[in-house]
Amino acid sequence: MPAITSTLRAWARSLATALAASLLLALLFAALSWQAAGLAPERALTLLRPLVGSGALFETHRMPLGVVRIPRWYGNNCLVFAMLVLPHDEGRAREAFSPNLAVSPLLPLAMADPAGGETAPPCLRLAELLAPGAERLPAKRYHRYLHGQRVATALLLPLLGPVGLQDAVFLALNGALGGLFLLAGLRAARRRRQGDAGWRRDAGFAGIGLLLFTSYGLPALGFWVSHALSDLVLAAFLWALWLLPGREDAGPAWLLGAFGCGVALFEFLTGGLPLGGGLVLLMAALADRPGGALRSLAAFLAGAALPFLLKAAIAALVFPDTLQSADAAAFEHRLFGPIAPEVPTQLLTAWSPMAGFDLHRVDESLLFRLRYLLFRLQGYYWQMGFGLGEAGRVLIRGSLIGLVLLAIPALRRNAARAGPALGAALLLIAWYIVFLNHSALHAVWMARCMVIFPAALWVLALPLLPGPREAAAIRR
């Protein structure tokens, strides 16, 4: 009985601390949102118009391997830019709470794509809005999310300009991930030479930093400001969790709560939550005395839930029109809603031979829907292979095979460490299945979460790596 009471108290303290940290970060973000909403749209128009005149808005670049070309500016980034140039027709408070989305009066007839069909449609829409004399018409309020990307872009754009913002975020993301790999790796090597058992934790962080760096920091998503800002949250908290370790948990409860809040502010359904949750479990597996994985995950999820609950409360008290049943229906649709009606018929026809069955029948059974999900995720293996799908396929499939082969021996060796590592991979698989509709229709975002598989394999294999004594014995 005393043990149960002590455990409950530990959980209560952890959740309370996580919620307090999340609340402080949410209040800071609210102040920044108010500041961003006060910036004049005309200033954003002046800064963004050169993107069209110089042609930079329509540029593409090739991946290091393979033949994949990606646009320099991704659709979500252009969506955010369009928010910044629309008029604040309902005042500053409403703009801070739920910014306007753009409507395109001309697409697709009057706006040709200078990149030959490779420009994301929201970027063509942005080009329309930036044209001199264009009528900047809002379409609707976008109040379902917390818009951290919009706030960060609005505040940094006047300081850096659009190209400078892209370069700064790209360098910051890759500098953070590359720096974590180098410094954690060097410390791991030094501690291993000294016979310090903690070297494996440093090696774990180094490997995860390298995987994030090579899987999507450099190849594609690091160039896309909307993604890179979200990934900077992960990189920053990975650094903090490395430098501020928890004895049993992934890290201090306040840090986990702030991590959850940061993920919720910048990205939620489109990969941030499963990727962040998976990383928290991996950090718990690397703890000195593993055993607090579930408590760590709960602190992270509590921190992520709080800002959404606060926004719902503000909506009920101040902006009741934003509490629409359509949003609840849209969320439910992202679970097991039908897929075929949202995919152009010509694509279903073209993709059917590659998927191995008639995709027009995708909604007829759960098996078909899962096969379609797997097909769509495989289409973005190039993100994990520097533009080469075959390299990404080897990495992901090899990781899954490795996890299966190592699972039972690792659990027998040390279930407290192996359990959270395997749990991180299972968490991602469960997310794909539960949010099946969303994962299949937005595979370009959700495929990047698969970096959790090789990361989990790395953490699972760490106890098998020889220490200095074992290495010396092997050499002898």
Side-chain angles (χ1 to χ4, degrees):
M1 199 62 184
I4 296 177
T5 302
S6 177
T7 300
L8 291 176
R9 286 177 178 173
W11 273 73
R13 285 195 302 269
S14 178
L15 292 176
T17 303
L19 290 171
S22 179
L23 176 60
L24 290 176
L25 187 57
L27 293 176
L28 173 61
F29 176 75
L32 294 175
S33 297
W34 176 262
Q35 182 66 24
L39 300 177
E42 289 72 21
R43 175 63 171 161
L45 276 171
T46 302
L47 292 168
L48 292 170
R49 273 178 177 152
L51 286 178
V52 180
S54 65
L57 186 64
F58 312 106
E59 290 178 0
T60 63
H61 62 85
R62 188 181 300 275
M63 294 288 92
L65 301 177
V67 297
V68 175
R69 295 190 67 87
I70 64 170
R72 178 173 180 175
W73 303 94
Y74 187 57
N76 275 7
N77 201 178
C78 292
L79 190 70
V80 171
F81 282 158
M83 290 178 180
L84 302 183
V85 303
L86 293 177
H88 302 170
D89 54 345
E90 295 184 60
R92 185 172 181 176
R94 187 57 189 268
E95 187 68 19
F97 186 80
S98 53
N100 274 316
L101 281 173
V103 63
S104 174
L106 303 179
L107 282 175
L109 298 178
M111 188 66 202
D113 180 4
E118 295 186 3
T119 305
C123 293
L124 295 177
R125 183 179 299 115
L126 175 65
E128 289 182 338
L129 295 172
L130 296 177
E135 189 175 7
R136 291 175 286 138
L137 298 174
K140 61 178 181 179
R141 291 282 175 181
Y142 195 28
H143 46 258
R144 280 186 292 171
Y145 294 106
L146 297 168
H147 307 294
Q149 297 167 352
R150 175 193 174 278
V151 172
T153 300
L155 295 175
L156 293 173
L157 188 64
L159 301 175
L160 301 172
V163 175
L165 173 63
Q166 186 178 60
D167 292 342
V169 174
F170 175 78
L171 292 173
L173 173 61
N174 288 285
L177 295 174
L180 179 64
F181 162 64
L182 291 174
L183 294 181
L186 289 173
R187 194 167 81 168
R190 185 180 70 251
R191 296 176 75 176
R192 183 176 178 275
R193 287 194 303 268
Q194 296 171 349
D196 187 339
W199 71 270
R200 285 188 173 88
R201 181 179 184 275
D202 293 326
F205 274 85
I208 291 171
L210 177 62
L211 284 167
L212 293 174
F213 177 77
T214 55
S215 292
Y216 61 87
L218 273 175
L221 305 184
F223 289 102
W224 294 340
V225 176
S226 56
H227 283 291
L229 285 171
S230 304
D231 297 334
L232 263 174
V233 173
L234 302 178
F237 279 100
L238 276 177
W239 267 94
L241 290 168
W242 176 52
L243 296 174
L244 300 171
R247 293 181 181 178
E248 295 180 350
D249 298 351
W254 65 267
L255 182 57
L256 295 172
F259 185 16
C261 183
V263 166
L265 294 177
F266 279 85
E267 188 177 21
F268 195 66
L269 286 180
T270 51
L273 198 61
L275 188 51
L279 290 174
V280 167
L281 290 177
L282 294 180
M283 301 305 104
L286 294 171
D288 292 338
R289 298 198 308 267
L294 291 179
R295 186 168 60 236
S296 297
L297 184 61
F300 169 79
L301 295 176
L306 182 64
F308 278 99
L309 294 175
L310 290 175
K311 183 162 186 175
I314 294 172
L317 295 173
V318 184
F319 304 111
D321 62 298
T322 63
L323 297 174
Q324 299 177 4
S325 58
D327 290 327
F331 180 82
E332 294 175 2
H333 176 74
R334 290 309 178 205
L335 297 174
F336 284 97
I339 293 173
E342 298 185 64
V343 183
T345 302
Q346 60 270 29
L347 288 181
L348 292 175
T349 302
W351 288 345
S352 290
M354 294 180 283
F357 69 102
D358 184 1
L359 290 181
H360 297 87
R361 302 173 55 198
V362 67
D363 293 314
E364 290 184 8
S365 72
L366 178 60
L367 177 61
F368 281 173
R369 292 159 68 82
L370 291 175
R371 288 179 63 183
Y372 177 74
L373 170 63
L374 183 60
F375 163 71
R376 291 290 288 143
L377 291 175
Q378 288 182 134
Y380 292 100
Y381 274 161
W382 59 266
Q383 291 183 10
M384 279 68 69
F386 282 89
L388 188 63
E390 289 77 5
R393 188 175 296 111
V394 169
L395 176 66
I396 300 304
R397 292 182 177 176
S399 299
L400 289 170
I401 293 172
L403 286 171
V404 172
L405 294 177
L406 285 183
I408 294 178
L411 287 170
R412 288 176 176 173
R413 181 186 182 98
N414 191 334
R417 291 196 185 277
L422 292 169
L426 292 174
L427 174 68
L428 179 58
I429 293 173
W431 182 278
Y432 283 146
I433 294 174
V434 172
F435 287 93
L436 195 151
N437 172 280
H438 179 274
S439 298
L441 293 173
H442 298 299
V444 64
W445 300 325
M446 299 308 300
R448 63 197 252 274
C449 301
M450 289 190 289
V451 73
I452 285 293
F453 296 142
L457 179 62
W458 172 243
V459 173
L460 204 65
L462 272 175
L464 304 178
L465 299 181
R469 293 180 182 178
E470 294 92 337
I474 292 172
R475 286 194 297 269
R476 287 196 297 268

